[in-house]
Amino acid sequence: MAPPRSTVWELDPHTRAKHDILRRYLQAWQAILPRGGFREIAYFDGFAGPGSYTGGEDGSPIIALRIAMAVPITTTRMRFVFVENNEDRVDALHAAVSALGKLPSHIDVQIVPTDFESAFADFVRPFDARKAPLPPTFA
């Protein structure tokens, strides 16, 4: 299937099923890992899209953030990196994230307007430089 050309498109059944699986997995992942003593966990979405679909359904970045916002306040930093290289979709994603309101202080969101490979290399670089392990990362 060719990638959509429009900024926002209709949610197809395959993606709806993927989002249902993502939602269930992240509800467990984001609830359990902060109790594991990790200082930071990360969610890395390499093809984030605009954050919503033409029918108003949430895209994967917003699904992940809504789940994180439902986790009780924690000392674990939850870092979200949303990669999207289409400028219109980046703007739409900024708007979708802003529409969520003020995020809890333990949630950090970065919207990175580049390609997956460059963004992931930038994400990993500081850990490599310190010879530190990556935090638990859902990518």
Side-chain angles (χ1 to χ4, degrees):
M1 183 173 145
R5 292 183 170 214
S6 59
T7 301
V8 180
W9 55 92
E10 186 177 335
L11 177 64
D12 64 52
H14 175 266
T15 303
R16 183 182 305 277
K18 180 184 81 169
H19 286 172
D20 289 342
I21 293 166
L22 176 68
R23 189 175 282 109
R24 287 192 304 264
Y25 189 88
L26 287 179
Q27 285 169 338
W29 191 78
Q30 290 185 16
I32 293 168
L33 284 176
R35 293 188 297 216
F38 297 104
R39 293 178 51 213
E40 177 180 12
I41 62 174
Y43 176 90
F44 191 95
D45 192 331
F47 305 93
S52 66
Y53 293 87
T54 55
E57 303 93 341
D58 288 340
S60 54
I62 304 305
I63 290 169
L65 284 172
R66 287 188 192 280
I67 292 167
M69 292 171 71
V71 172
I73 296 299
T74 175
T75 58
T76 300
R77 179 178 174 221
M78 296 176 139
R79 182 175 174 192
F80 293 82
V81 180
F82 301 135
V83 181
E84 176 54 57
N85 64 1
N86 177 292
E87 186 177 330
D88 292 337
R89 293 178 192 154
V90 168
D91 292 342
L93 183 53
H94 275 291
V97 171
S98 292
L100 293 174
K102 182 162 175 41
L103 298 174
S105 61
H106 67 281
I107 295 175
D108 176 41
V109 174
Q110 296 171 291
I111 299 174
V112 184
T114 190
D115 61 276
F116 173 83
E117 292 82 9
S118 299
F120 199 74
D122 289 344
F123 173 73
V124 171
R125 190 171 294 112
F127 297 99
D128 284 347
R130 296 189 318 261
K131 296 187 183 344
L134 284 175
T137 302
F138 185 96

Coordinates of all heavy atoms in Angstrom, one line a residue, residues 44 83 114-125 134 137 139:
F44 N 9.2 5.5 21.1 CA 9.7 6.1 19.9 C 8.8 5.7 18.7 O 8.8 4.5 18.4 CB 11.2 5.6 19.7 CG 11.9 6.3 18.7 CD1 12.8 7.3 19.0 CD2 11.8 5.9 17.3 CE1 13.5 8.0 18.0 CE2 12.5 6.6 16.3 CZ 13.4 7.6 16.7
V83 N 8.4 10.9 15.3 CA 9.1 11.2 14.1 C 8.2 11.3 12.9 O 7.4 10.4 12.7 CB 10.2 10.2 13.8 CG1 11.0 10.5 12.5 CG2 11.1 10.0 15.0
T114 N 12.0 14.7 10.7 CA 13.0 14.1 9.9 C 12.6 12.7 9.6 O 11.5 12.3 9.8 CB 14.4 14.2 10.6 OG1 15.4 13.9 9.7 CG2 14.4 13.4 11.9
D115 N 13.6 11.9 9.1 CA 13.3 10.5 8.8 C 13.7 9.7 10.0 O 14.4 10.1 10.9 CB 14.2 10.1 7.5 CG 15.7 10.2 7.8 OD1 16.2 11.4 7.6 OD2 16.3 9.2 8.2
F116 N 13.2 8.4 10.0 CA 13.3 7.5 11.1 C 14.8 7.3 11.4 O 15.2 7.3 12.6 CB 12.6 6.2 10.8 CG 12.9 5.1 11.8 CD1 12.1 5.1 12.9 CD2 13.9 4.2 11.6 CE1 12.4 4.1 13.9 CE2 14.1 3.2 12.5 CZ 13.4 3.2 13.7
E117 N 15.6 7.0 10.4 CA 17.0 6.6 10.6 C 17.8 7.7 11.3 O 18.5 7.5 12.3 CB 17.7 6.2 9.3 CG 17.2 4.9 8.7 CD 15.9 5.1 7.9 OE1 15.5 6.3 7.7 OE2 15.3 4.1 7.5
S118 N 17.6 9.0 10.9 CA 18.3 10.1 11.5 C 17.8 10.3 12.9 O 18.6 10.6 13.8 CB 18.0 11.4 10.6 OG 18.6 11.2 9.4
A119 N 16.5 10.3 13.1 CA 15.9 10.5 14.4 C 16.4 9.5 15.4 O 16.7 9.8 16.6 CB 14.4 10.6 14.3
F120 N 16.4 8.2 15.0 CA 16.8 7.1 15.9 C 18.3 7.3 16.3 O 18.7 7.1 17.4 CB 16.5 5.7 15.4 CG 16.5 4.7 16.5 CD1 15.4 4.7 17.4 CD2 17.5 3.8 16.7 CE1 15.4 3.8 18.5 CE2 17.5 2.9 17.7 CZ 16.5 2.9 18.6
A121 N 19.1 7.6 15.3 CA 20.6 7.8 15.5 C 20.7 9.0 16.5 O 21.6 8.9 17.4 CB 21.3 8.1 14.2
D122 N 20.0 10.0 16.4 CA 20.1 11.1 17.3 C 19.6 10.7 18.7 O 20.1 11.2 19.7 CB 19.2 12.3 16.8 CG 19.8 13.0 15.6 OD1 21.0 12.8 15.3 OD2 19.1 13.8 15.0
F123 N 18.6 9.9 18.8 CA 18.1 9.4 20.1 C 19.1 8.6 20.8 O 19.3 8.7 22.0 CB 16.8 8.6 19.8 CG 16.2 7.9 21.0 CD1 15.6 8.6 22.0 CD2 16.3 6.5 21.2 CE1 15.1 8.0 23.1 CE2 15.8 5.9 22.3 CZ 15.2 6.6 23.2
V124 N 19.8 7.7 20.1 CA 20.8 6.8 20.7 C 22.1 7.4 21.0 O 22.8 7.1 22.0 CB 21.0 5.6 19.7 CG1 22.1 4.7 20.1 CG2 19.7 4.8 19.6
R125 N 22.5 8.4 20.2 CA 23.8 9.1 20.3 C 24.2 9.5 21.8 O 25.3 9.1 22.2 CB 23.9 10.3 19.4 CG 25.3 10.8 19.3 CD 25.4 11.9 18.2 NE 25.2 11.3 16.9 CZ 24.1 11.5 16.1 NH1 23.2 12.4 16.5 NH2 24.0 10.9 14.9
L134 N 20.4 2.1 26.9 CA 19.2 2.8 26.5 C 18.2 2.5 27.6 O 18.2 1.5 28.3 CB 18.6 2.3 25.2 CG 19.2 2.8 23.9 CD1 18.6 2.0 22.8 CD2 19.1 4.2 23.7
T137 N 12.7 1.0 26.0 CA 12.2 1.8 24.8 C 11.2 0.9 24.0 O 11.6 -0.2 23.6 CB 13.4 2.2 24.0 OG1 14.3 3.0 24.8 CG2 12.9 3.1 22.8
A139 N 9.7 1.0 20.5 CA 9.9 1.7 19.2 C 9.2 0.9 18.1 O 9.2 -0.3 18.1 CB 11.4 1.7 19.0

